[in-house]
Amino acid sequence: IFDIDFFKKVNYTYGHIKGYQVLKSLADTVKPMIEKNDYMLRWGGEEFVLILSERTLEEASAFAEKVRKAVETSDNGVCPVTVSIGVAAYDGKNYKSAIDEADQALYRAKENGRNRVEVS
């Protein structure tokens, strides 16, 4: 799970239309990076879920770092943004548990300074 750091500030400063432009740009940055069997979902607001179906936890963590760097260096036409990312493994049984673990890791990323990847 990942979301844009301080996105409310983007909307407040530049307006919701520009905020949407930032969201679209982020999706346009990340989508070409994912593979055929991966999925990217908008989870809500400025939060997204990546399902990396054929990667180990270590591979997913390395991929998350690539996403973080790509977003940090992308030009969305509005303002610089960063993302915080939480990574967790899915055991094939309980997807809710995997989402909860990734969400907890995301909050650790935010608590530890944002613009970083944390692994469950």
Side-chain angles (χ1 to χ4, degrees):
I1 295 179
F2 67 99
D3 75 7
I4 300 171
D5 297 323
F6 303 113
F7 186 70
K8 288 180 184 178
K9 188 174 181 180
V10 173
N11 276 336
Y12 179 77
T13 303
Y14 301 97
H16 290 279
I17 292 172
K18 293 293 185 181
Y20 178 76
Q21 182 179 332
V22 169
L23 290 170
K24 183 168 178 352
S25 176
L26 180 140
D28 290 344
T29 297
V30 177
K31 279 175 61 177
M33 299 173 68
I34 64 174
E35 296 178 3
K36 180 176 76 171
N37 293 326
D38 297 338
Y39 299 91
M40 180 174 165
L41 314 164
R42 185 169 175 198
W43 194 245
E46 74 282 5
E47 197 167 57
F48 295 84
V49 171
L50 281 173
I51 300 170
L52 308 173
S53 59
E54 297 179 5
R55 301 183 203 214
T56 66
L57 187 59
E58 286 180 355
E59 291 168 336
S61 178
F63 180 79
E65 181 60 24
K66 288 180 185 176
V67 167
R68 188 197 65 74
K69 287 179 181 176
V71 171
E72 180 179 42
T73 59
S74 68
D75 179 7
N76 59 41
V78 178
C79 64
V81 295
T82 59
V83 292
S84 295
I85 304 176
V87 180
Y90 172 54
D91 63 7
K93 297 175 186 171
N94 185 346
Y95 77 90
K96 176 129 176 50
S97 176
I99 293 290
D100 288 345
E101 288 179 25
D103 199 42
Q104 289 171 9
L106 168 64
Y107 281 99
R108 275 197 316 277
K110 292 194 172 293
E111 289 173 355
N112 290 327
R114 300 180 192 264
N115 190 27
R116 59 183 292 125
V117 174
E118 290 282 340
V119 179
S120 173

